[in-house]
Amino acid sequence: MLIERLGAAGRSCFSAASLRPFSSSNAMAKSKFEYVRSFETDDTCLRNCYVVVRLDGRNFHKFAEQHRFAKPNDDRALGLMSKSARSVMEELEDITIAYGQSDEFSFVFKRTTTWFKRRASKLMTHVASQFSSSYVFYWKEFFGEQPLLYPPGFDGRVVLYPTNRNLRDYLSWRQADCHINNLYNTVFWTLVQRGGLTTTQAEDRLKGTLASDKNEILFSEFDINYNNESALHRKGTTLIWEKRDETVSKRIKRPNEEEKLVPVTRSRRKVEIYHCDIIGDQFWEEHPDVLEDDT
C-alpha cells in the first residue's frame, strides 16, 4: 500500500515537473560545455551606418534555362522577385528601401535599426530565408502549372554605408548595372531572335561596342527605340514604405437608431513599387522619408 502511494506521488511529481518549460540557457550556464560560446565571433554592425543585405541568385543562369525563362526578360520571374522582396519588407519593417534587378535584390536597413542587435549574420540569414521561402511559396502565382523543378538558391552579403551619399551611390551603381546589362541583353537577343544570328555571332557582333552603338543597332536595324522599352527592364524595381489613406465601411449602431454603414478613413503604411530613376535627385526629393538625416 505504501509502495503504491509512493508510486502515485512519484508520478504526480514527474507530471508537474514536465509542465515547467525547459530553459536551455539555464542548462547551458550550468554546463561544463559552455566554453564553446567563446568561439563565436562578434559580428555586430557598426552603429550609425545603413546596413545593406544584398541577395544574388546562385547559378541562376542554369535555373533560368531549366525553367524556360523568356529572353531577354521574363516578366513572370521579375514579378516573383518583387513579390518575394515585398514579403521580406513586410516581415522586417526596419528595411527602408529595397532595389532589385534580374536575379538580385538589395535591402537597406535603417541606420538606427536595432533589429537582431544589429548582428550581420542574423540580418542576412533572416532576409535570405524569408526571400527564398517566399520565392517558392509564390511560384505558382506567377508560373501557374509550370512546375518548380528544384529549390532556388540565393547567397547574401552585408555591407555598411555611413552616409546618405554613400548609400545613394551604392543604389545608383546597382541601377547603372541594370541599364548596362539590360541594354546588352536586349540587343543580343534581338540579333538572335529577329536577326537570325547564332549566339556566338551575336556575341562577336557586340564585342567592343559602346552604348551608343547598341542603341544604333536597335534603331537602325530593328526600328526599336530603347528608351521606349519597359521601365521595369531598364530601371529595375524600387520598393519603399509609404502612407496611404484607406476608406472602409464600418457598421455603427447608435442608441435609438438603426445600424448603418459609415465610411471610415485611416492611414496605413504599405510597401509601394516603383520602376523609375533613382540616380538623379527627383526620386529622393519626392520621398524624403526614405533616408535619415546625416549627423
Side-chain angles (χ1 to χ4, degrees), residues 116-218:
F116 310 117
K117 298 181 180 179
R118 295 181 68 87
R119 291 187 58 184
S121 57
K122 289 282 190 179
L123 293 169
M124 183 177 67
T125 53
H126 273 74
V127 168
S129 61
Q130 182 70 26
F131 190 92
S132 300
S133 60
S134 297
Y135 195 96
V136 174
F137 185 79
Y138 293 115
W139 172 270
K140 196 169 184 178
E141 180 178 326
F142 292 87
F143 284 87
E145 296 305 314
Q146 180 177 331
L148 180 63
L149 301 178
Y150 59 89
F154 296 90
D155 62 64
R157 72 201 71 184
V158 174
V159 187
L160 306 182
Y161 294 100
T163 69
N164 290 340
R165 184 74 265 168
N166 294 151
L167 179 63
R168 283 187 55 179
D169 285 347
Y170 167 77
L171 294 171
S172 297
W173 171 49
R174 300 321 304 146
Q175 187 166 70
D177 185 72
C178 173
H179 163 70
I180 293 169
N181 290 337
N182 187 67
L183 177 58
Y184 180 91
N185 289 333
T186 299
V187 182
F188 180 90
W189 287 107
T190 301
L191 288 170
V192 172
Q193 295 168 353
R194 294 178 55 180
L197 273 60
T198 66
T199 54
T200 301
Q201 289 171 332
E203 187 176 350
D204 290 338
R205 174 78 187 277
L206 294 176
K207 280 183 180 177
T209 57
L210 303 175
S212 58
D213 301 323
K214 296 181 179 70
N215 276 291
E216 182 60 26
I217 291 173
L218 287 174

Side-chain angles (χ1 to χ4, degrees), residues 53-72:
V53 178
R54 185 165 98 234
L55 301 184
D56 289 279
R58 183 175 57 82
N59 201 11
F60 245 59
H61 179 74
K62 176 182 176 183
F63 184 88
E65 284 187 349
Q66 294 197 347
H67 289 88
R68 304 191 302 277
F69 283 12
K71 303 291 186 180

Side-chain angles (χ1 to χ4, degrees), residues 76-92:
R76 300 169 303 170
L78 294 174
L80 179 55
M81 290 286 291
S82 296
K83 181 82 170 186
S84 302
R86 180 194 290 271
S87 173
V88 172
M89 286 190 68
E90 290 173 344
E91 182 70 21
L92 305 172

Side-chain angles (χ1 to χ4, degrees), residues 12-290:
S12 176
C13 292
F14 178 78
S15 299
S18 66
L19 294 175
R20 291 196 294 271
F22 175 74
S23 173
S24 59
S25 59
N26 289 341
M28 192 69 166
K30 298 176 182 178
S31 167
K32 66 179 181 180
F33 306 114
E34 184 185 8
Y35 79 94
V36 298
R37 296 180 65 181
S38 64
F39 286 83
E40 296 181 14
T41 57
D42 182 10
D43 63 346
T44 303
C45 294
L46 189 66
R47 294 178 61 185
N48 299 323
C49 291
Y50 292 103
V51 181
V52 176
V53 178
R54 185 165 98 234
L55 301 184
D56 289 279
R58 183 175 57 82
N59 201 11
F60 245 59
H61 179 74
K62 176 182 176 183
F63 184 88
E65 284 187 349
Q66 294 197 347
H67 289 88
R68 304 191 302 277
F69 283 12
K71 303 291 186 180
N73 293 290
D74 192 309
D75 288 342
R76 300 169 303 170
L78 294 174
L80 179 55
M81 290 286 291
S82 296
K83 181 82 170 186
S84 302
R86 180 194 290 271
S87 173
V88 172
M89 286 190 68
E90 290 173 344
E91 182 70 21
L92 305 172
E93 296 182 7
D94 257 13
I95 295 173
T96 184
I97 185 172
Y99 176 78
Q101 49 117 348
S102 186
D103 64 341
E104 74 167 56
F105 243 101
S106 297
F107 298 91
V108 182
F109 284 85
K110 292 191 298 187
R111 194 155 47 189
T112 53
T113 187
T114 57
W115 280 54
F116 310 117
K117 298 181 180 179
R118 295 181 68 87
R119 291 187 58 184
S121 57
K122 289 282 190 179
L123 293 169
M124 183 177 67
T125 53
H126 273 74
V127 168
S129 61
Q130 182 70 26
F131 190 92
S132 300
S133 60
S134 297
Y135 195 96
V136 174
F137 185 79
Y138 293 115
W139 172 270
K140 196 169 184 178
E141 180 178 326
F142 292 87
F143 284 87
E145 296 305 314
Q146 180 177 331
L148 180 63
L149 301 178
Y150 59 89
F154 296 90
D155 62 64
R157 72 201 71 184
V158 174
V159 187
L160 306 182
Y161 294 100
T163 69
N164 290 340
R165 184 74 265 168
N166 294 151
L167 179 63
R168 283 187 55 179
D169 285 347
Y170 167 77
L171 294 171
S172 297
W173 171 49
R174 300 321 304 146
Q175 187 166 70
D177 185 72
C178 173
H179 163 70
I180 293 169
N181 290 337
N182 187 67
L183 177 58
Y184 180 91
N185 289 333
T186 299
V187 182
F188 180 90
W189 287 107
T190 301
L191 288 170
V192 172
Q193 295 168 353
R194 294 178 55 180
L197 273 60
T198 66
T199 54
T200 301
Q201 289 171 332
E203 187 176 350
D204 290 338
R205 174 78 187 277
L206 294 176
K207 280 183 180 177
T209 57
L210 303 175
S212 58
D213 301 323
K214 296 181 179 70
N215 276 291
E216 182 60 26
I217 291 173
L218 287 174
F219 188 75
S220 62
E221 298 184 27
F222 302 98
D223 196 27
I224 296 175
N225 185 336
Y226 180 74
N227 291 326
N228 293 334
E229 294 295 291
S230 168
L232 164 63
H233 305 155
R234 293 184 294 110
K235 302 295 186 182
T237 300
T238 302
L239 285 72
I240 60 173
W241 287 100
E242 287 191 332
K243 286 185 178 181
R244 288 284 188 267
D245 289 337
E246 288 186 349
T247 302
V248 297
S249 296
K250 186 175 182 180
R251 293 185 178 276
I252 295 179
K253 188 178 187 309
R254 294 187 174 89
N256 302 321
E257 292 185 9
E258 293 185 359
E259 186 178 76
K260 60 181 180 180
L261 290 175
V262 176
V264 177
T265 301
R266 58 187 179 184
S267 181
R268 291 185 59 186
R269 289 176 78 234
K270 293 183 64 177
V271 176
E272 299 293 338
I273 294 180
Y274 290 89
H275 308 297
C276 64
D277 177 76
I278 58 173
I279 296 176
D281 293 331
Q282 182 177 346
F283 172 84
W284 304 100
E285 290 170 355
E286 292 175 351
H287 305 94
D289 294 337
V290 173

